[in-house]
Amino acid sequence: MGTTVFKRKIYSKLVQWKTKSEGKTALLIEGARRIGKSTIAEEFAKNEYDSYLLIDFTKVSKNVINLFEDLSDLQYFFLSLQALTGAKLYPRKSCIIFDEVQFCPKARQAIKHLVKDGRYDYIETGSLISIKKNIKDILIPSEERRIEMFPMDFEEFLWAIGKATTFDMIRYSFENMRPLGDGVNRELLRLFRLYILVGGMPQAVSEYLTGSDFEAVDTVKRDIINLYLSDLEKIDDKGRAATILRSIPAELARNTKRYRVGDVIENARISRLGEIFGDISKSMTVNFAYHSNDPNIGLALHANPDNFKMFLADTGLFITLGFMEKDFTDNVIYRKLLSDKLPTDLGYVFENAVAQLIRTADHSLYYYTFRDSEDSGNYKIDFLISRKDKICPIEVKSSGYKAHKSLDKFQSKFSSRINQRYLLYTKDIRKDKDIICLPVYMAGLL
């Protein structure tokens, strides 16, 4: 059985690159493993070119790899490449894909010369692409244009399960502030809870579509997580990177103001593990949300690199990771979400899902915590995004509860900086004075 090809939004970015670049740059698709980079690159090449050649550096022959040792005669290089692979290439009408290019650094370095030659278009895919050990001995080509790829967002998930027009209705409601109605909202929340459980990893979605039960889907996700853990153990042979990944659900469940590495690894400090956290971030298996010390336009300028929270890049993997040490039947979150009985102490599940959707919508993640001098209360803005010359604070609730004390306190403190306040919850779209209350499945539209 072949790989299922799902409709992905990144396809339009590939088309845009091909049209504008006209062979002057190569395209590097970066992302975590198993999110569909190779599949979308091959589907694009198949549809948009007369022919293509995919070189998978995880299994290609040594004869092909050896070709990249000497590029002094490109005519010989291309003739040999076609002879070894059986592919037929046509100048300016063919695309060559370097799949998992991090396993052949010389091929990545060759991009500079291949692009300058101009005969063909080039797409690279890679995971953990920027880890120093993969690039320390090569010259990174300036002719490389990078784009990030993420697991499926909620709209892509709806496309995959045969609900092609459903998100059009959601978008119309969002753009026109038009209520969907209680019945429709309940059905959309049911689909969103399904998305949280299955997630956006193509293999997990494909397994769900076969009609398998959630245990089979969970098994697929466990395999992916074990693959990630294995990759992280290669980065850090002391196991600290893998331990940090495993700890994310538990740390979020504690609802602390920031990730406390000392609670996970004895005597560890974030300042001493900066390189490991950097490698985890580059793996794109995790979304980092940084605390904004002074929430204002230019959020990155005020981010605290030592004060952050971490979310799994895929909500489905997050659900599974939280119960990796237990049998599937012990995973209460599956039962609670399916029955719409998620208790408030599992609100971090929705927070992880919202983090994924905001990040997939090309926002970096920031949050803010503060103490109010009037009532000595501690408050948290779950996410901050910038819009025009101001910021938008976002509060997330896993219920229909409409209270928004943190948003109100934030308004009192930073009113001149605010563009729009948002409350994400489980009820229909509405306005509460100047706060826009949105059903949580609209997070990706912000």
Side-chain angles (χ1 to χ4, degrees):
M1 182 182 295
T3 302
T4 303
V5 179
F6 294 111
K7 180 181 178 182
R8 304 298 298 272
K9 294 178 181 178
I10 198 173
Y11 192 100
S12 63
K13 294 183 179 181
L14 271 61
V15 171
Q16 186 180 45
W17 161 76
K18 180 177 184 289
T19 302
K20 291 187 175 182
S21 174
E22 295 182 330
K24 295 181 178 63
T25 61
L27 187 69
L28 171 62
I29 305 174
E30 288 188 292
R33 296 180 71 181
R34 302 292 178 87
I35 61 168
K37 301 184 301 296
S38 307
T39 301
I40 200 67
E42 185 171 14
E43 182 71 5
F44 173 76
K46 186 186 302 181
N47 294 340
E48 308 296 334
Y49 294 87
D50 289 359
S51 72
Y52 73 95
L53 168 60
L54 187 148
I55 304 174
D56 183 349
F57 286 111
T58 65
K59 60 182 180 182
V60 70
S61 72
K62 288 185 178 180
N63 290 332
V64 171
I65 290 178
N66 289 338
L67 290 177
F68 292 94
E69 295 293 333
D70 183 2
L71 296 177
S72 59
D73 185 346
L74 285 179
Q75 180 65 13
Y76 176 79
F77 171 83
F78 288 123
L79 289 173
S80 300
L81 192 60
Q82 292 175 83
L84 288 170
T85 62
K88 179 68 175 176
L89 300 174
Y90 307 96
R92 298 307 318 137
K93 294 182 179 179
S94 296
C95 179
I96 299 177
I97 302 170
F98 291 168
D99 193 25
E100 300 292 0
V101 71
Q102 74 272 14
F103 290 106
C104 186
K106 288 291 182 67
R108 189 179 180 196
Q109 181 172 263
I111 285 295
K112 180 179 182 65
H113 307 290
L114 299 177
V115 169
K116 183 178 180 180
D117 172 73
R119 240 172 287 196
Y120 312 111
D121 283 357
Y122 299 90
I123 297 176
E124 306 164 86
T125 76
S127 309
L128 301 175
I129 198 71
S130 299
I131 300 302
K132 287 190 299 233
K133 69 179 182 180
N134 292 328
I135 63 174
K136 63 181 180 179
D137 298 323
I138 70 169
L139 178 68
I140 301 300
S142 59
E143 295 78 8
E144 197 177 70
R145 180 174 299 171
R146 301 185 185 189
I147 59 173
E148 294 178 322
M149 186 173 180
F150 302 97
M152 292 181 187
D153 65 15
F154 184 45
E155 183 174 11
E156 290 173 320
F157 178 76
L158 290 175
W159 292 343
I161 65 172
K163 305 283 185 180
T165 62
T166 300
F167 207 85
D168 294 336
M169 176 177 59
I170 294 172
R171 183 178 287 105
Y172 182 85
S173 171
F174 173 81
E175 292 175 349
N176 296 277
M177 281 299 297
R178 184 181 179 88
L180 292 156
D182 290 342
V184 173
N185 181 58
R186 280 195 299 271
E187 173 59 17
L188 292 175
L189 281 170
R190 184 190 69 81
L191 292 172
F192 187 68
R193 292 195 301 271
L194 177 63
Y195 169 67
I196 289 176
L197 293 175
V198 176
M201 304 301 288
Q203 283 179 289
V205 176
S206 182
E207 185 67 32
Y208 169 76
L209 291 174
T210 64
S212 301
D213 57 24
F214 281 110
E215 185 169 4
V217 176
D218 196 72
T219 298
V220 169
K221 292 189 292 176
R222 286 174 185 248
D223 290 344
I224 295 172
I225 291 171
N226 284 326
L227 180 67
Y228 288 176
L229 292 172
S230 177
D231 284 344
L232 292 175
E233 286 167 357
K234 293 174 184 175
I235 293 171
D236 172 46
D237 57 11
K238 293 182 179 179
R240 292 167 298 182
T243 298
I244 289 168
L245 184 75
R246 290 190 188 97
S247 72
I248 291 175
E251 284 299 293
L252 285 177
R254 293 174 60 186
N255 197 30
T256 56
K257 293 181 180 180
R258 61 182 174 86
Y259 183 83
R260 301 173 63 91
V261 69
D263 295 338
V264 177
I265 301 173
E266 188 175 0
N267 298 323
R269 295 182 182 178
I270 287 175
S271 58
R272 295 177 180 174
L273 297 179
E275 185 175 351
I276 289 177
F277 282 108
D279 288 345
I280 293 173
S281 177
K282 290 168 186 174
S283 77
M284 295 182 68
T285 58
V286 174
N287 289 324
F288 282 71
Y290 291 95
H291 189 274
S292 177
N293 290 341
D294 182 21
N296 207 342
I297 187 66
L299 288 165
L301 298 175
H302 308 287
N304 187 336
D306 294 328
N307 194 343
F308 56 81
K309 301 179 75 171
M310 290 190 293
F311 303 91
L312 259 291
D314 179 71
T315 176
L317 296 184
F318 178 80
I319 297 295
T320 297
L321 182 61
F323 288 82
M324 280 289 284
E325 306 304 323
K326 299 181 180 180
D327 187 80
F328 168 79
T329 56
D330 293 326
N331 194 332
V332 296
I333 296 182
Y334 275 90
R335 297 195 298 273
K336 295 291 186 181
L337 277 171
L338 285 172
S339 61
D340 191 19
K341 293 180 179 179
L342 189 71
T344 55
D345 62 348
L346 291 179
Y348 60 90
V349 173
F350 270 35
E351 191 176 351
N352 194 95
V354 170
Q356 177 181 350
L357 295 182
I358 292 177
R359 184 69 188 92
T360 308
D362 290 331
H363 293 290
S364 295
L365 299 177
Y366 302 96
Y367 71 103
Y368 182 64
T369 59
F370 59 103
R371 185 176 179 83
D372 186 74
S373 58
E374 294 181 0
D375 61 10
S376 299
N378 292 311
Y379 298 97
K380 183 183 74 169
I381 299 299
D382 294 311
F383 299 103
L384 291 164
I385 61 174
S386 59
R387 183 174 296 161
K388 297 181 180 179
D389 60 345
K390 296 193 176 183
I391 57 175
C392 299
I394 301 167
E395 190 171 343
V396 181
K397 294 185 179 296
S398 60
S399 66
Y401 192 51
K402 302 182 186 67
H404 37 71
K405 198 167 184 179
S406 290
L407 286 177
D408 294 338
K409 291 289 184 179
F410 190 83
Q411 168 80 5
S412 299
K413 192 174 177 68
F414 300 111
S415 60
S416 63
R417 304 180 182 184
I418 296 174
N419 175 290
Q420 179 63 64
R421 293 186 291 165
Y422 291 101
L423 175 71
L424 297 177
Y425 70 152
T426 59
K427 296 296 184 181
D428 204 349
I429 188 170
R430 64 187 290 271
K431 287 199 75 171
D432 184 357
K433 297 179 181 178
D434 68 329
I435 295 176
I436 295 180
C437 304
L438 299 173
V440 67
Y441 47 76
M442 291 185 179
L445 294 170
L446 294 173

